[in-house]
Amino acid sequence: NYNLSTFIPAINYLTSKGYLVLRMGYNIDKLETNNDLVIDYSHMPWRSEFMDYYLGYACDFCISTGFGADMFARLHRKPMGIIAPAISDIYYLHKNYTFIFNNIKIRGSNSNLTLKEIFENNVHLLENIQKIDQTKFELVKNTPEEIKDLVIEVTKKHENNYIIEDAEAELQNKFWELFFKYKKKITENPKIKDRISYSFLKKKIK
């Protein structure tokens, strides 16, 4: 239930680089834009199940909130930028996925929880996120800036123009140490590098 305007800065970034952007899914609200490089496929008369499949095959990468039409891009193992509702929703075995996740705050507070606070209060779990309205916590959707930063990172990775700095590697390691501390492990830790958006981690790890 994101407002379409939340994605406009990310869309403008992509089209400024010459990418054709298709808004997928089956939606009621139409994406109004005068940008010739943006197609609201969800309202196109040529939309079909075959075209869903073909676009998943033909796309360079996919940005998704984790539901619906992204299954076709996943099927063809395309790079993904995923806005996950909960940390436990992260598919950490996929090396070409980059994640951010929704922010969480205490109701009435002006600041979001740190990553450690999210884990300590068990609001990293999807089952608790689904019942968050019954708690003292509140889910905060990602901002247009956070989504744009995710898109920039995914784009650079697709273009082989993304350099992992030492500071980023350190933050990634800190994240996964926390992740596997609170997540029951079934197998050995996979070899993980840059699954979480660096720009997002900088704000979450303190």
Side-chain angles (χ1 to χ4, degrees):
N1 293 325
Y2 273 87
N3 189 301
L4 290 178
S5 62
T6 306
F7 295 88
I8 296 300
I11 290 172
N12 289 339
Y13 166 78
L14 288 170
T15 58
S16 72
K17 291 179 63 64
Y19 284 96
L20 177 67
V21 177
L22 290 95
R23 187 264 190 113
M24 301 296 290
Y26 297 87
N27 306 284
I28 296 175
D29 296 332
K30 189 174 182 180
L31 178 59
E32 300 292 346
T33 177
N34 294 321
N35 193 327
D36 292 336
L37 287 177
V38 179
I39 296 175
D40 191 345
Y41 169 76
S42 66
H43 286 270
M44 292 295 105
W46 41 272
R47 186 187 72 197
S48 68
E49 291 182 358
F50 172 79
M51 187 59 71
D52 289 348
Y53 180 88
Y54 174 75
L55 291 174
Y57 162 77
C59 72
D60 290 314
F61 52 84
C62 175
I63 307 299
S64 173
T65 54
F67 299 95
D70 68 357
M71 71 178 71
F72 298 103
R74 294 175 192 257
L75 179 65
H76 293 288
R77 299 182 180 181
K78 298 293 183 173
M80 303 283 294
I82 299 180
I83 305 157
I87 298 175
S88 64
D89 243 12
I90 291 173
Y91 311 107
Y92 56 85
L93 293 175
H94 296 269
K95 64 180 181 180
N96 61 345
Y97 285 17
T98 306
F99 292 88
I100 60 176
F101 40 85
N102 286 172
N103 295 298
I104 298 171
K105 69 177 184 179
I106 297 175
R107 293 184 186 278
S109 170
N110 293 322
S111 59
N112 295 323
L113 299 182
T114 65
L115 186 63
K116 185 177 181 181
E117 291 169 336
I118 290 174
F119 280 111
E120 288 177 344
N121 287 281
N122 286 323
V123 281
H124 64 291
L125 300 171
L126 182 60
E127 57 264 33
N128 290 340
I129 291 294
Q130 292 171 334
K131 300 181 291 185
I132 199 167
D133 289 343
Q134 304 169 27
T135 71
K136 66 178 181 179
F137 299 106
E138 179 181 351
L139 198 66
V140 181
K141 292 179 180 177
N142 296 103
T143 65
E145 292 74 22
E146 289 172 340
I147 294 173
K148 180 183 176 182
D149 286 341
L150 169 67
V151 170
I152 291 173
E153 191 166 320
V154 172
T155 305
K156 287 183 177 180
K157 289 176 180 177
H158 167 68
E159 296 174 348
N160 293 317
N161 191 30
Y162 187 74
I163 300 173
I164 302 173
E165 305 289 348
D166 290 343
E168 175 173 358
E170 183 179 348
L171 283 183
Q172 293 284 337
N173 289 335
K174 287 182 178 179
F175 173 85
W176 294 111
E177 285 175 8
L178 273 173
F179 182 87
F180 287 111
K181 176 181 177 181
Y182 288 91
K183 181 179 177 67
K184 183 179 179 181
K185 292 186 292 184
I186 300 175
T187 61
E188 292 295 321
N189 292 8
K191 293 181 180 180
I192 299 170
K193 290 185 178 179
D194 52 337
R195 301 290 190 273
I196 312 301
S197 170
Y198 176 51
S199 61
F200 191 66
L201 275 186
K202 285 195 295 184
K203 297 188 293 184
K204 299 305 292 184
I205 295 182
K206 298 179 180 180

